[in-house]
Amino acid sequence: MYTIAFAGGGTAGHVMPNLAIISALGGDCRCVYIGCDGMEKSLCEARGIPFYTISAVKLRRDKFFKNLAVPFKLHACVKSAKKVLNEIKPDLIFSKGGYAALPVVLGAGRIPVVSHESDFSPGLCTKLAKRKSQRILCAFEPCAARIKRAEHVGAPLNPALYRGKSKRAAFGFDGSKPVIAVVGGSSGAAAINDCVKSALPKLTACFDVIHVTGKGKAVCEKQRGYRPIEFENDMPGLYASVDMIVTRGGANALAEAIALKIPALCIPLEKASRGDQLQNARYYEERGAIKVLRESDMTPTTLAAAVAELFNAKDRYARAMSELSVDGTKQICDIIKETLNKN
């Protein structure tokens, strides 16, 4: 049986797609995970996926001088990754990008690498790893066009997303009002959390609200029409419970909403990123598939108004979503198997 080492971590945007591919492969291969001591470790351990910890270094966009030591630290991280790879002896490395994946890819040696980029524009790891990658896969067609040898395949989505069962009753909702989920990402989103808190009277007048706040970031107590939770492990169940979703501009979150035809209000993160979330959002907005509210324009009033507008036009958004093909899971699995059989 072939062994595949999956790499990537730090945020759910790098971890969950890897877990989706592992789930889709089923028992066809032995799947292990290489990452840092972050959320990827706990998520893998909860699923019984063998996990190997390495050190990694993150580029700081806001602190130039701290980046001067990155090449020296990265050299040590690559040595750490090589040691783990020599122990595992994988037949293939699947990289989902991010700083946690880079040492693994750079330390791959002759191990074939398949890398995947979820965002509209390539991240730093994808750029640095392209020479090491036998196959470079992209969720967005414009991204694939910008990278030599890259292929547009779509996003890796967990097959279980399509089999979710509604949990409205578990959240305490009786179905008398449409349900919104506010999901700021795996770490939450302080600006969105604070705005939701102020907008609650307007939101709960017409909707029931499930608010995924992020760990330790609750802003309101449970109340009539409002259920705060720190993190949701059962995303298929959450999606099956809602009529709309308010989310950041993470590529995977948007792809999941579009694949499931759930109308989405996107509030992209702009300041603390390279602008990828705004690019992701604009791509789908231009195709009429999602509604975008810029964070600089977000107030309790504009948030409540945008949610109401989205709900009133939900059928139009669902039709636009139906015209897009975003799920690349099967094609990605086929490419992995094809690469394994060639090497």
Side-chain angles (χ1 to χ4, degrees):
M1 180 180 287
Y2 290 121
T3 295
I4 305 174
F6 288 79
T11 67
H14 292 119
V15 182
M16 300 312 291
N18 272 340
L19 298 181
I21 295 299
I22 291 172
S23 177
L25 287 170
D28 291 347
C29 301
R30 175 178 176 259
C31 298
V32 301
Y33 206 109
I34 305 175
C36 299
D37 193 10
M39 69 178 304
E40 60 265 34
K41 183 175 183 178
S42 58
L43 288 170
C44 287
E45 288 177 347
R47 290 163 173 77
I49 300 169
F51 189 89
Y52 296 83
T53 305
I54 62 166
S55 56
V57 59
K58 187 175 184 179
L59 184 70
R60 296 293 300 271
R61 298 178 186 276
D62 56 338
K63 296 184 179 180
F64 172 79
F65 290 106
K66 286 198 172 183
N67 292 330
L68 297 178
V70 166
F72 304 100
K73 293 180 179 178
L74 182 58
H75 178 71
C77 296
V78 173
K79 285 185 65 177
S80 168
K82 283 182 176 179
K83 183 177 179 181
V84 168
L85 290 170
N86 286 334
E87 179 183 348
I88 300 170
K89 293 181 172 53
D91 300 288
L92 181 141
I93 294 169
F94 184 83
S95 167
K96 198 58 207 67
Y99 69 94
L102 187 57
V104 182
V105 174
L106 295 181
R110 295 185 178 181
I111 304 168
V113 176
V114 174
S115 61
H116 184 277
E117 175 60 66
S118 287
D119 289 313
F120 180 86
S121 61
L124 182 60
C125 179
T126 299
K127 292 176 182 177
L128 294 176
K130 62 183 180 182
R131 290 184 180 179
K132 287 276 189 176
S133 302
Q134 281 197 14
R135 306 284 289 267
I136 306 167
L137 315 179
C138 299
F140 287 88
E141 193 168 4
C143 183
R146 293 173 62 177
I147 307 173
K148 188 177 180 180
R149 297 187 297 107
E151 308 164 59
H152 170 231
V153 297
L157 303 180
N158 194 324
L161 289 172
Y162 302 100
R163 303 191 296 269
K165 295 182 180 180
S166 176
K167 300 166 57 178
R168 288 192 182 192
F171 287 115
F173 302 145
D174 61 10
S176 60
K177 291 189 289 186
V179 179
I180 311 166
V182 180
V183 185
S186 57
S187 300
I192 295 177
N193 287 352
D194 292 341
C195 194
V196 167
K197 178 181 179 180
S198 299
L200 265 185
K202 291 182 179 179
L203 292 173
T204 55
C206 302
F207 305 97
D208 286 327
V209 180
I210 302 168
H211 187 182
V212 184
T213 64
K215 189 173 181 179
K217 297 184 179 180
V219 291
C220 283
E221 297 292 328
K222 173 181 172 181
Q223 55 188 271
R224 184 178 179 84
Y226 175 75
R227 296 294 180 272
I229 54 176
E230 289 191 341
F231 185 78
E232 178 56 67
N233 284 311
D234 180 15
M235 287 306 294
L238 178 69
Y239 284 134
S241 304
V242 305
D243 299 283
M244 299 183 299
I245 188 164
V246 178
T247 184
R248 281 299 198 182
N252 296 292
L254 294 179
E256 288 172 354
I258 291 169
L260 296 172
K261 312 298 184 291
I262 301 173
L265 173 64
C266 178
I267 307 170
L269 178 68
E270 299 180 47
K271 293 181 181 179
S273 71
R274 68 178 190 275
D276 48 295
Q277 290 201 3
L278 184 58
Q279 293 172 341
N280 298 340
R282 281 177 170 166
Y283 177 86
Y284 290 126
E285 182 186 34
E286 289 170 359
R287 285 151 182 77
I290 66 169
K291 183 175 180 61
V292 176
L293 174 63
R294 297 288 291 270
E295 188 171 319
S296 57
D297 297 326
M298 182 178 64
T299 67
T301 299
T302 60
L303 175 61
V307 168
E309 290 168 10
L310 178 68
F311 181 73
N312 291 333
K314 63 182 185 301
D315 293 337
R316 173 167 59 84
Y317 284 104
R319 286 194 296 273
M321 287 178 170
S322 298
E323 296 175 2
L324 297 175
S325 178
V326 295
D327 190 342
T329 311
K330 183 181 183 303
Q331 190 173 353
I332 294 168
C333 289
D334 288 344
I335 288 171
I336 287 173
K337 293 174 183 178
E338 179 185 334
T339 306
L340 284 167
N341 291 329
K342 280 185 177 179
N343 288 275

